[in-house]
Amino acid sequence: MNIMQWLENLCQHNQYTYKDISRSRLICRGNAITIVYMIFYGIISFLIGFHHGVWIQIWLVCLFAVAFILLKQRVALDLVGNYIPAIGFIGVVSLCFYSGGLDSPVLPWISLVPIVSLLFTHQRWAIGWLIFILAFILIYRIYLMPLIQVEIGYNNRYKDFFYLSSLFGLISTYLLFNLIYKRSIIQINEVLESKNLEIELQNTALQDQSRHIKTHLEQIEVEKAKSDELLKNILPENIAESLKVNGKTEAKLYENVSILFTDFVGFTKYCETISPQKLISILHQYFQAFDDITEKYGLEKIKTIGDAYMAVSGLPDSSPDHAVNAVKAAIEMRHFVENYNANAGKSEQEHHSSPTFQVRIGIHSGTVIAGIIGNKKFAFDIWGDAVNIAARIQQIGAPQKVSLSQTTYSLVKDLFPCEYQERSMLRIREIWICILSGNPINFGS
């Protein structure tokens, strides 16, 4: 391990933060340069016969080396940074005492003391050292110089050489300290640039992550909208919202609703004569139209069972016109079936490729319980005698007629012309058949 690696390890060992490591590195390098100059001037002193200077330089080298021990022991950097200029001040004063006092070639080195303090500590310490040195020189010149007898402890014929070597050493020391400081600044800037680059890369990565998260959230919102729309297609909107918020929904009693059932006459026999794909396609066209009609009049589609279609008017939002809306929807459903059959008879029916159906429609008004049961493949459904009565009315009704119970008839008799038809099947004694005499869409309006 060379001297530079040893110094670097010493600096790294001393402190933890990068700021302190940079400062300890500056102290190590500056102190090493100082020791080199002390050894160099110890040799110069020996050559010119300055024996006191040799011993003083030896002691200075030892004292400056103590700074490395202080760094290794993790002594505060301010203390180490002031220890070095203090030893330098003592060394300059000692050398000047044996080399001419204020006329000594060594005296200009005292100017390094505040400079070193500024590099190794802080500005306030450097200013303090400057004031101290000026005060010391002033006191020495006025009070101590007449009392202290200085001597020249080297061969006087080497005075010019000693002066020039001291001047050269001082100038080169200033230059080296500035180079060390400049290098330290460059290293700090390189680290800052590296940190800035890392921050920029992290910001870029964060921006990419932010865009990815934003895109992901947008996709989630799209999928959520799809799932919400799908849930609303399966369940009434308020039921769906309650299910999303609470995870469940309570069954509820609805006292005034109208239940509508439809069924196609002779559907079963057609199932044996045409392909399943064709049959489902035709049934889909009917039910798609029924869906549009129920939505138009505010009915809630409950379910389809085979060729049967079930809807209810007056829930989940109650309506005083539940029976009227149910009858309007039924009349328009019948009208659609008539038009569909007429159009099919002009085209595909002529080639016996598409069957046509007649529809029976039954409506009853009463009280039901509505809600969701189970926790898998759940569906919104209604229960009660009113549902059973509506189904029976549809079963005994006439093809292409809208059959009403007595209860429903009493709610719509002033708006729709009806004809009485008695039936005794299934304990349903009073059935009213709605007679259409005009456009069903405008009927009763």
Side-chain angles (χ1 to χ4, degrees):
M1 181 183 298
N2 57 38
I3 184 66
M4 295 305 297
Q5 290 177 336
W6 182 82
L7 290 175
E8 187 66 23
N9 292 337
L10 184 64
C11 299
Q12 297 288 343
H13 177 75
N14 179 47
Q15 300 292 339
Y16 298 103
T17 66
Y18 179 80
K19 181 179 179 181
D20 289 338
I21 290 174
S22 299
R23 189 174 164 196
S24 62
R25 183 184 292 117
L26 186 63
I27 293 175
C28 284
R29 292 172 179 173
N31 194 53
I33 290 175
T34 303
I35 291 175
V36 171
Y37 271 104
M38 293 301 99
I39 296 173
F40 173 74
Y41 280 106
I43 297 173
I44 295 294
S45 298
F46 176 78
L47 293 177
I48 65 176
F50 187 22
H51 301 295
H52 290 96
V54 173
W55 286 108
I56 291 173
Q57 304 290 351
I58 292 174
W59 277 107
L60 288 177
V61 168
C62 295
L63 292 175
F64 281 124
V66 172
F68 294 125
I69 300 175
L70 297 177
L71 287 174
K72 189 170 183 62
Q73 295 300 318
R74 300 189 180 185
V75 176
L77 292 180
D78 279 351
L79 181 59
V80 180
N82 280 307
Y83 170 80
I84 294 174
I87 298 302
F89 173 78
I90 294 173
V92 170
V93 171
S94 300
L95 289 171
C96 287
F97 182 80
Y98 293 104
S99 59
L102 295 180
D103 295 327
S104 172
V106 181
L107 184 62
W109 282 81
I110 205 170
S111 62
L112 273 176
V113 173
I115 301 298
V116 171
S117 178
L118 179 63
L119 291 176
F120 292 173
T121 58
H122 302 287
Q123 179 178 339
R124 62 179 181 273
W125 288 108
I127 295 174
W129 276 110
L130 177 62
I131 295 173
F132 174 77
I133 290 171
L134 293 176
F136 173 80
I137 293 175
L138 185 62
I139 292 172
Y140 178 81
R141 178 67 181 83
I142 297 174
Y143 297 105
L144 299 180
M145 189 174 176
L147 301 177
I148 298 175
Q149 185 68 32
V150 296
E151 59 179 278
I152 299 177
Y154 62 92
N155 193 330
N156 197 45
R157 64 178 179 173
Y158 295 112
K159 182 177 180 180
D160 292 339
F161 172 75
F162 192 23
Y163 178 81
L164 291 175
S165 63
S166 296
L167 184 61
F168 167 77
L170 181 62
I171 295 173
S172 59
T173 301
Y174 273 118
L175 177 61
L176 288 175
F177 273 118
N178 277 279
L179 290 176
I180 292 174
Y181 182 72
K182 183 177 180 181
R183 183 179 179 184
S184 178
I185 295 297
I186 291 174
Q187 289 179 336
I188 292 174
N189 289 334
E190 289 176 350
V191 171
L192 290 177
E193 290 178 359
S194 177
K195 294 295 183 182
N196 288 335
L197 181 60
E198 290 180 7
I199 292 173
E200 290 179 1
L201 293 175
Q202 290 175 358
N203 287 337
T204 302
L206 289 175
Q207 290 175 358
D208 292 339
Q209 291 179 1
S210 177
R211 285 193 293 267
H212 178 73
I213 291 173
K214 184 178 180 181
T215 302
H216 188 59
L217 290 176
E218 291 175 351
Q219 292 175 349
I220 291 175
E221 288 296 327
V222 171
E223 296 301 323
K224 181 178 180 295
K226 290 180 181 178
S227 63
D228 289 345
E229 187 65 26
L230 182 60
L231 194 60
K232 290 177 183 178
N233 283 334
I234 298 174
L235 304 173
E237 185 172 354
N238 60 345
I239 301 296
E241 289 297 328
S242 176
L243 194 62
K244 288 193 298 181
V245 174
N246 304 317
K248 62 179 182 178
T249 182
E250 300 291 337
K252 186 177 179 181
L253 179 69
Y254 295 89
E255 295 184 351
N256 298 300
V257 299
S258 294
I259 304 98
L260 179 150
F261 273 94
T262 74
D263 183 64
F264 292 109
V265 179
F267 179 80
T268 304
K269 71 175 183 178
Y270 284 112
C271 293
E272 301 173 356
T273 60
I274 62 175
S275 67
Q277 293 80 5
K278 185 67 176 179
L279 186 65
I280 294 300
S281 176
I282 296 173
L283 197 61
H284 175 72
Q285 294 182 60
Y286 282 117
F287 284 168
Q288 189 177 38
F290 289 0
D291 287 343
D292 294 338
I293 293 170
T294 55
E295 185 178 2
K296 175 181 177 181
Y297 291 104
L299 277 68
E300 186 69 38
K301 176 184 177 181
I302 302 301
K303 58 186 173 181
T304 60
I305 305 174
D307 63 320
Y309 187 96
M310 178 182 177
V312 61
S313 177
L315 68 78
D317 298 324
S318 60
S319 171
D321 299 326
H322 58 89
V324 175
N325 292 332
V327 173
K328 286 182 178 181
I331 293 172
E332 192 162 333
M333 288 177 179
R334 186 187 69 176
H335 182 67
F336 170 79
V337 172
E338 289 176 348
N339 289 339
Y340 183 87
N341 293 342
N343 294 331
K346 295 177 182 178
S347 55
E348 294 184 5
Q349 185 63 19
E350 294 176 355
H351 298 88
H352 307 286
S353 60
S354 177
T356 57
F357 300 102
Q358 290 185 317
V359 66
R360 285 193 300 259
I361 304 176
I363 302 175
H364 174 64
S365 302
T367 300
V368 299
I369 297 173
I372 298 174
I373 56 175
N375 56 8
K376 291 185 179 181
K377 297 184 179 180
F378 50 77
F380 183 73
D381 206 349
I382 57 176
W383 304 272
D385 287 341
V387 179
N388 299 329
I389 294 173
R392 291 169 185 166
I393 290 174
Q394 175 271 127
Q395 292 170 3
I396 63 176
Q400 289 302 115
K401 300 293 183 179
V402 178
S403 302
L404 310 178
S405 69
Q406 176 66 39
T407 305
T408 305
Y409 168 74
S410 65
L411 297 173
V412 301
K413 62 183 179 180
D414 296 332
L415 298 175
F416 302 94
C418 300
E419 113 182 338
Y420 171 74
Q421 183 174 354
E422 184 176 350
R423 303 274 182 168
S424 60
M425 297 175 60
L426 301 175
R427 295 185 299 173
I428 302 299
R429 301 257 177 211
E430 294 181 335
I431 304 297
W432 294 86
I433 307 302
C434 203
I435 303 301
L436 181 61
S437 60
N439 190 332
I441 298 177
N442 298 321
F443 208 105
S445 60

